[in-house]
Amino acid sequence: MSKNNKASNYNEKMLTRLRIQFIVLSMAVVIIMQGFIVYTSVRNTYNKMVAKSDHLVSSIYINILDKKPIKADARYFYITFDKDNRPRTINIDNISDISEDEALAIYYEAYETGELDGFYNGYRYCIYEKEKRTIAVFVLRSNMIDDVKKTAVSLIESSCAGIAVMLLILIFTSKLIVMPIAKAHRKQKEFITSASHELKTPITVIRADADILQMDNPDNEWIEDIKKQAENLTAMTNSLVSLARMDERNGHIKRVVFPVSDLAEEAVRSYNALALDSGKHFTYDITPDLTCCGDASSVRQLFTILLDNAFKYSSGKGNIDFKLSSSGSYIVLIVSNDVDNIDKNLTDRMFDRFYRADSTSAKITGYGLGLSIAKAIVSEHNGSIKAKMDGSQRIIIKAQLHIK
């Protein structure tokens, strides 16, 4: 497959991913808003029905106390009890489809719920217990309850229809909406890739010219500085090329099973001499015979990046720890080191490209790309990486790589 085809496939996948994310986020907002509107509307309708029913129950109760004729446009019954809580009056004149025994049974069933007012079996009721006298008023509200349910169903159906229409609109328009973002992202990647390749030639020429000049002036500090800066530019360009290639691969790497424990052993052994030379205390704990399925060279680069980072940013005679183990279906790598007093918010941006803390950027060489590459490697192996501060003078980076 040609590079153009790979880039085209990558751009299509990125565009599809952006469209899905945009649709999901937009639909989540729409569903939440529609749900709130439906809930508010149904709740208001229900509250109005309850208020109207309670007013009717209360007016019936007052008329009973005042022994006045009851004028209520509703079907109801009421029961009065004597001081011994025995039924004295069971009035079912305004509701013809139940008997006195049925009315009394409804009262007892409602009373057993422990609630003196509420809804029961289609009735809005209230049981008044005052001055050793109990009056229970039941007003039939089943029609109004059904109306509230119908309103709720109607609103839900309308909302679902609206959500479906919105989904269709988003599906057809999302490509146009996210296309400028995808285009800008593609141009950024193309610029990084092109610039990285274009820089290689002039840097190579500068280094070659500096070598020729140094033959005639072997002790010239200016020529030596030119060579050093050219080497730095070469390292930065190589890092940019690595990131660009990882972006193009989009997680599609050749996976083979390799002994990750042996790879880690090789990596840490190469840093023993550096630890002795710099006076740092370097310890490592590697669980033997661990294997991983992925790109061995990338994982070796991950070890190197994290160890380089730990040695560069560790305090004078500080401690550096490297630990490799397994947990479930993941290889777990933890690299920690002592640091000078730095801001805890540093860990939030450590994996951003070209980011370097102001307190260290002037003291230590680098370009802020190493941890970005580490993050990309971990992502290609379906894992995660994060950093945290242990107090204010120790930083811990934990990476997890999927074993298979």
Side-chain angles (χ1 to χ4, degrees):
M1 185 181 287
S2 66
K3 289 185 177 180
N4 289 335
N5 288 335
K6 288 182 179 179
S8 177
N9 290 338
Y10 169 73
N11 291 330
E12 286 298 324
K13 289 178 180 178
M14 184 188 67
L15 183 61
T16 301
R17 187 167 61 249
L18 285 174
R19 289 179 65 190
I20 292 173
Q21 291 174 348
F22 173 76
I23 291 172
V24 170
L25 180 60
S26 300
M27 290 306 301
V29 173
V30 171
I31 290 172
I32 291 172
M33 291 181 62
Q34 288 288 348
F36 177 76
I37 291 172
V38 169
Y39 172 80
T40 303
S41 300
V42 173
R43 189 70 184 177
N44 288 338
T45 303
Y46 175 81
N47 288 340
K48 289 179 181 178
M49 185 268 290
V50 170
K52 186 175 181 180
S53 300
D54 287 344
H55 177 73
L56 185 57
V57 170
S58 178
S59 64
I60 293 172
Y61 169 70
I62 292 172
N63 287 332
I64 294 171
L65 289 180
D66 295 340
K67 297 181 180 180
K68 293 181 178 179
I70 299 173
K71 296 180 180 180
D73 186 17
R75 299 171 66 194
Y76 66 90
F77 69 87
Y78 67 86
I79 304 172
T80 63
F81 298 83
D82 59 23
K83 62 181 181 179
D84 295 323
N85 206 29
R86 291 176 300 188
R88 186 172 66 180
T89 303
I90 302 177
N91 189 312
I92 56 171
D93 295 341
N94 289 277
I95 184 165
S96 58
D97 53 353
I98 65 171
S99 65
E100 292 185 357
D101 291 338
E102 289 173 335
L104 193 60
I106 292 172
Y107 161 76
Y108 284 125
E109 290 171 2
Y111 188 79
E112 287 175 359
T113 64
E115 300 291 336
L116 295 181
D117 59 68
F119 284 98
Y120 182 78
N121 202 22
Y123 292 89
R124 181 66 179 178
Y125 72 92
C126 187
I127 300 172
Y128 300 91
E129 295 179 336
K130 291 184 179 181
E131 299 177 358
K132 298 181 180 180
R133 183 182 181 188
T134 300
I135 299 176
V137 180
F138 286 75
V139 178
L140 189 62
R141 298 279 92 177
S142 55
N143 290 338
M144 296 186 72
I145 294 173
D146 289 340
D147 289 341
V148 173
K149 291 179 179 178
K150 290 178 181 178
T151 300
V153 171
S154 177
L155 287 172
I156 291 173
E157 289 176 347
S158 299
S159 296
C160 289
I163 290 171
V165 171
M166 180 61 70
L167 178 60
L168 292 174
I169 293 173
L170 287 174
I171 289 173
F172 286 109
T173 61
S174 58
K175 188 173 183 178
L176 296 175
I177 294 172
V178 303
M179 191 173 289
I181 301 173
K183 187 176 181 181
H185 184 76
R186 183 178 66 251
K187 286 185 176 180
Q188 180 191 36
K189 300 304 177 187
E190 290 174 351
F191 170 77
I192 292 174
T193 304
S194 300
S196 300
H197 287 292
E198 292 297 327
L199 282 171
K200 283 186 174 182
T201 300
I203 291 173
T204 302
V205 173
I206 291 171
R207 293 180 66 179
D209 290 347
D211 288 337
I212 294 173
L213 289 173
Q214 197 172 38
M215 292 179 185
D216 297 327
N217 301 277
D219 299 324
N220 190 305
E221 61 178 305
W222 306 113
I223 296 175
E224 190 63 34
D225 186 59
I226 290 172
K227 290 181 65 177
K228 183 178 180 181
Q229 295 304 321
E231 290 173 359
N232 290 339
L233 282 172
T234 300
M236 183 181 69
T237 302
N238 290 336
S239 296
L240 285 171
V241 170
S242 295
L243 280 171
R245 286 174 179 169
M246 289 178 184
D247 286 337
E248 289 178 359
R249 288 200 301 253
N250 194 31
H252 299 292
I253 58 176
K254 186 177 180 180
R255 299 181 184 274
V256 295
V257 177
F258 62 91
V260 68
S261 295
D262 296 345
L263 208 65
E265 289 280 359
E266 293 175 11
V268 297
R269 278 200 297 268
S270 64
Y271 282 86
N272 283 329
L274 178 60
L276 290 173
D277 185 59
S278 59
K280 300 181 187 296
H281 184 248
F282 177 41
T283 61
Y284 53 89
D285 179 12
I286 300 173
T287 302
D289 302 324
L290 294 179
T291 59
C292 183
C293 185
D295 183 1
S297 61
S298 293
V299 175
R300 182 185 290 108
Q301 185 181 13
L302 172 66
F303 294 156
T304 302
I305 288 171
L306 296 185
L307 285 169
D308 276 345
N309 188 76
F311 273 87
K312 277 184 180 180
Y313 293 96
S314 60
S315 52
K317 305 293 181 180
N319 297 310
I320 301 170
D321 299 312
F322 180 100
K323 182 177 180 181
L324 186 76
S325 61
S326 65
S327 176
S329 58
Y330 288 91
I331 296 294
V332 181
L333 170 63
I334 299 176
V335 180
S336 58
N337 60 277
D338 295 336
V339 292
D340 294 326
N341 192 4
I342 59 175
D343 187 357
K344 290 186 176 182
N345 294 326
L346 169 68
T347 57
D348 296 334
R349 299 189 59 189
M350 282 180 60
F351 301 99
D352 293 348
R353 297 183 183 185
F354 296 105
Y355 177 75
R356 300 183 70 216
D358 294 338
S359 60
T360 59
S361 57
K363 302 176 185 178
I364 302 171
T365 59
Y367 315 100
L369 291 173
L371 290 180
S372 297
I373 295 174
K375 183 178 180 180
I377 293 171
V378 171
S379 179
E380 285 185 332
H381 289 78
N382 302 320
S384 62
I385 187 169
K386 59 183 178 180
K388 67 177 182 179
M389 295 294 299
D390 183 8
S392 61
Q393 296 187 324
R394 189 164 184 80
I395 192 165
I396 301 171
I397 296 179
K398 180 180 179 180
Q400 295 187 113
L401 306 176
H402 204 275
I403 291 176
K404 296 182 179 180

